[in-house]
Amino acid sequence: MQDGGNEMLALLCEEARETALLESIEALLGWDERTYLPPAGGAFRAEQMTYLSGWIHRRRTDPRIGGWLDQLLDSPLAADPHSDSGATIRELNREYRRLVKLPPAFVEELTRASVLGQQAWTEARKNHDFPSFQPFLERIFTLKREQAEQWGYSNEPYDALLDDFEPGAQTAEVAETLESLRAGLAPLVAAIAECGRQAPSELLRRDYPRAAQQAFGEQAAAAIGFDFRRGRLDVTHHPFCSGLGPDDCRITTRFDERHFSSAFFGILHEAGHGMYDQGLRSDQFGLPPGSYISLGIHESQSRLWENLVGRSAAFWQHFFPQAQQHFPEALAGERWEDFWFAVNAVRPSLIRVEADEVTYNLHIIIRFELERAVLSGELTVGDLPQAWNERYRKYLGITPPGDGDGVLQDIHWSAGLVGYFPTYSLGNVFAAQFFRQAEQDLGDLTDRMGRGDFAPLKQWLNQHIHQVGRCYRASELVQHITGQPLSAEPMIQGLRDKLLPLYGLA
Ligand code: ZN
């Protein structure tokens, strides 16, 4: 390479950007499908999206890309792994190699199995009928094991699947972190259950008119830094955030007029995801330095705003008077301290997506242990319902009345998403590590939040996380920012500091 590879890198980047444009069009069709598409438009939309995804796949597996990468990997441009060019070459190479390792017939088979799996799951969940779903799930786990073999792994098949969502993460390390999280949270949950004090949860179950919820939610999202000139909020059944491009980020929510938390904390959560997307470097759109690092880091941004900010005392000192203005009938004459306690209620429950900030992680740990055991052959798919119920008894002290509220409650496995669950709890762990560092760096973070000033925190996240893009792997980023490896300690400590006084235990 006469110019050290610069020309070849430019070709590679142009190709990647063009593919990213197609992906953003696909994402727009997906957003529309989940928000405004008329019911009868589903079949044609599926045709459009299948066409586009086939086109995208052919582009991403174009052998020319492999040729360019082969040469660039040995060039000086790849020497510094944290530079824009180094990260671009490393990450595009990773993506290309993973895609070309899977034979097209296998990809089709996996897609088919997960479409059939989701259909069978929908029926099975409704009827609490695990046996009707079992053969579909067995097929999916068989294919996921094959996929792990095709991708290759260092210690166990789970490594390969986890790596798809959390690049560079090792199962053993994640297991250790989650185990220390469980060991730290279990006594806290038990102490709260036995203390006899109850959060005034009834406050959240009064009349919260939808229009006022939307106005208050948008006001809070804008106040923490979600830019509504470059994004919007719409309504859906299963809320999500979709970053369509540098200046167009779509967040979604759903409203329940008899429950304050579902929309409000959902909006803060999705706004946190959205602010990550809005904070990425526009000049690197479609390239690794302008892309999110991993699902765990993405989730750290949503959980940080939802829980560490949105469930803090400082946040409600500032926002409660505004909430009273939006919901005078529900909240006139109430105290912010009681409302704050209510949004921090901790109680073991059956359903993951409705769980509180603490017990949520026990739901995740159960799923992680089970999917890892099935993949390694320690458990069979047929063992899952019983193993699930045993763990719910052991970790949460409750037993699901039927499999619909137990082993069948999540869509993930039916859709072929194995190795995905731990990224939710990793997000919580990362969030607490980042937040502690931001507190140290900024000094007066709590005071500022109490005055409604969230700009310093947002700028800190922009600078240390969003602008870094994919130039660091998740574990490197944590080390780089905090000087510490991945650790559950800040999260456990933060929850104890907040909850023990609330429950009169400190
Ligand atoms: Zn999320």
Side-chain angles (χ1 to χ4, degrees):
M1 284 178 289
Q2 286 169 348
D3 65 346
N6 282 310
E7 205 173 307
M8 200 170 279
L9 180 64
L11 284 172
L12 180 71
C13 290
E14 202 181 301
E15 194 74 13
R17 268 206 195 93
E18 206 174 311
T19 306
L21 269 181
L22 286 173
E23 284 169 335
S24 71
I25 294 165
E26 191 188 28
L28 176 59
L29 291 178
W31 167 83
D32 176 72
E33 183 190 27
R34 294 161 76 180
T35 49
Y36 294 108
L37 187 74
F44 183 65
R45 179 54 46 87
E47 206 178 307
Q48 291 175 307
M49 291 177 70
T50 307
Y51 174 76
L52 261 180
S53 71
W55 188 5
I56 289 165
H57 185 79
R58 282 194 300 281
R59 288 186 56 92
R60 289 168 75 188
T61 51
D62 186 331
R64 285 182 311 151
I65 295 176
W68 294 331
L69 284 164
D70 281 340
Q71 299 193 48
L72 285 166
L73 280 167
D74 294 325
S75 78
L77 291 167
D80 176 0
H82 303 311
S83 67
D84 285 353
S85 64
T88 298
I89 294 164
R90 176 189 69 235
E91 294 301 322
L92 291 180
N93 186 58
R94 170 185 182 277
E95 176 191 287
Y96 176 79
R97 304 294 161 202
R98 283 177 79 82
L99 284 173
V100 297
K101 273 182 187 169
L102 303 178
F106 175 84
V107 176
E108 263 170 47
E109 179 55 21
L110 187 59
T111 307
R112 210 174 78 90
S114 54
V115 170
L116 295 175
Q118 286 174 72
Q119 287 167 2
W121 168 78
T122 308
E123 277 303 299
R125 184 190 186 194
K126 216 173 7 186
N127 304 323
H128 297 271
D129 178 11
F130 186 79
S132 72
F133 177 52
Q134 187 175 325
F136 294 93
L137 191 57
E138 278 166 352
R139 182 75 190 129
I140 285 166
F141 268 101
T142 301
L143 291 169
K144 295 309 282 187
R145 224 174 272 126
E146 265 179 68
Q147 191 177 35
E149 296 302 329
Q150 284 159 356
W151 274 334
Y153 50 84
S154 38
N155 294 309
E156 55 181 297
Y158 197 90
D159 284 333
L161 303 184
L162 175 66
D163 193 77
D164 203 26
F165 309 111
E166 202 59 31
Q170 292 292 314
T171 308
E173 191 193 10
V174 170
E176 208 176 291
T177 305
L178 293 184
E179 175 50 28
S180 66
L181 189 59
R182 194 196 62 76
L185 296 183
L188 181 61
V189 173
I192 288 173
E194 285 157 20
C195 79
R197 192 185 279 195
Q198 299 256 333
S201 304
E202 170 275 329
L203 270 176
L204 306 173
R205 294 268 176 199
R206 297 179 178 175
D207 276 330
Y208 288 95
R210 184 188 147 136
Q213 283 197 49
Q214 175 153 1
F216 183 49
E218 287 186 341
Q219 187 182 333
I224 62 172
F226 183 80
D227 184 351
F228 278 95
R229 289 175 314 121
R230 301 168 60 217
R232 52 177 288 135
L233 172 71
D234 293 275
V235 177
T236 186
H237 288 298
H238 301 285
F240 63 97
C241 165
S242 189
L244 301 178
D247 295 311
D248 188 355
C249 175
R250 309 296 175 95
I251 57 174
T252 58
T253 194
R254 60 178 164 205
F255 293 100
D256 177 348
E257 297 204 302
R258 296 288 296 171
H259 193 203
F260 171 81
S261 298
S262 123
F264 186 78
F265 289 102
I267 290 173
L268 289 188
H269 181 98
E270 301 307 336
H273 280 304
M275 284 153 69
Y276 188 6
D277 289 338
Q278 291 182 334
L280 295 170
R281 288 165 59 188
S282 309
D283 64 323
Q284 293 288 329
F285 168 73
L287 299 175
S291 305
Y292 73 93
I293 294 181
S294 68
L295 288 186
I297 296 293
H298 224 310
E299 195 67 6
S300 78
Q301 300 305 289
S302 58
R303 303 284 174 148
L304 186 144
W305 290 104
E306 177 193 356
N307 291 330
L308 297 167
V309 175
R311 288 188 160 86
S312 69
F315 184 90
W316 287 106
Q317 272 170 316
H318 173 70
F319 273 109
F320 190 68
Q322 297 178 37
Q324 285 179 306
Q325 284 171 14
H326 284 284
F327 312 107
E329 281 181 27
L331 297 177
E334 300 295 347
R335 300 161 60 228
W336 75 263
E337 292 91 338
D338 294 326
F339 195 80
W340 172 51
F341 191 9
V343 301
N344 279 292
V346 174
R347 180 181 296 161
S349 60
L350 281 174
I351 307 294
R352 174 184 64 87
V353 295
E354 293 165 9
D356 59 74
E357 189 182 354
V358 182
T359 59
Y360 183 89
N361 301 285
L362 302 173
H363 292 261
I364 295 301
I365 290 164
I366 290 170
R367 287 151 176 77
F368 168 66
E369 290 180 357
L370 293 177
E371 61 184 12
R372 188 185 182 196
V374 171
L375 218 58
S376 73
E378 255 171 79
L379 285 179
T380 67
V381 167
D383 295 332
L384 280 173
Q386 202 195 337
W388 179 284
N389 292 349
E390 275 166 14
R391 278 179 172 76
Y392 265 75
R393 234 184 339 265
K394 193 167 136 205
Y395 293 172
L396 287 153
I398 48 179
T399 308
D403 288 337
D405 300 316
V407 68
L408 290 171
Q409 68 178 264
D410 301 300
I411 194 171
H412 299 62
W413 290 339
S414 76
L417 298 174
V418 178
Y420 188 110
F421 281 120
T423 68
Y424 291 123
S425 278
L426 284 175
N428 287 328
V429 169
F430 290 140
Q433 289 191 273
F434 295 148
F435 193 74
R436 178 186 281 184
Q437 189 62 42
E439 279 179 315
Q440 283 172 17
D441 289 357
L442 297 170
D444 56 351
L445 180 57
T446 307
D447 290 343
R448 281 174 178 265
M449 292 201 310
R451 296 198 299 270
D453 180 9
F454 301 96
L457 179 57
K458 178 182 170 270
Q459 281 156 10
W460 188 94
L461 295 168
N462 282 151
Q463 181 193 340
H464 293 279
I465 297 168
H466 309 167
Q467 299 281 307
V468 171
R470 208 169 277 183
C471 291
Y472 283 76
R473 288 275 165 85
S475 59
E476 295 172 334
L477 184 74
V478 172
Q479 182 77 43
H480 181 66
I481 293 176
T482 68
Q484 303 287 326
L486 176 67
S487 163
E489 188 274 328
M491 177 172 169
I492 295 165
Q493 193 57 48
L495 287 168
R496 290 178 61 89
D497 290 348
K498 178 170 71 170
L499 295 167
L500 291 177
L502 268 177
Y503 277 93
L505 292 164

